[in-house]
Amino acid sequence: MTEHLRLSGLYWGLTALHLLGHPDALPCDGVLDFVISCLHDNGGFGAAPGHDAHMLYTVSGVQILAMLDAFDELEQRVKGGKEKIGHCKLLLELLDPLLL
């Protein structure tokens, strides 16, 4: 019932933990496993594994990777992962709708 909130909920939870001074309260490997399981071939992220990619969850996925300084880890786990996200149409539309 709350599957559609998972990736964004993880982002907000991590943000709260950072603000409270406990950025390491959740296991980084487990967080990255989940985030990467939400990544689609088009570079977008779904709310949970098996959900369609959406701009909201794509932004949450990128923010989580940034908070954890995990873009290099993403690249190790998913070859070309950074480039894939960088070419994601959902993010490009957010940056400049006239680009497309």
Side-chain angles (χ1 to χ4, degrees):
M1 185 189 252
T2 61
E3 227 176 43
H4 66 284
L5 301 172
R6 289 198 180 149
L7 194 60
S8 291
L10 182 57
Y11 163 72
W12 287 111
L14 282 173
T15 299
L17 289 169
H18 274 75
L19 291 172
L20 292 169
H22 299 286
D24 299 323
L26 293 178
C28 187
D29 281 341
V31 171
L32 289 176
D33 287 344
F34 179 74
V35 171
I36 291 170
S37 74
C38 297
L39 179 62
H40 286 260
D41 288 337
N42 69 0
F45 289 85
H51 285 240
D52 292 337
H54 185 276
M55 185 184 306
L56 172 66
Y57 309 115
T58 300
V59 171
S60 293
V62 170
Q63 289 171 315
I64 291 168
L65 291 170
M67 255 193 294
L68 298 177
D69 194 24
F71 289 105
D72 289 336
E73 178 71 20
L74 167 70
E75 194 63 27
Q76 289 177 3
R77 294 185 186 202
V78 179
K79 294 295 179 206
K82 290 191 289 189
E83 183 176 353
K84 188 184 293 190
I85 293 170
H87 288 97
C88 178
K89 185 177 177 183
L90 295 169
L91 289 177
L92 293 174
E93 288 174 350
L94 179 64
L95 295 172
D96 187 353
L98 301 176
L99 288 175
L100 302 174

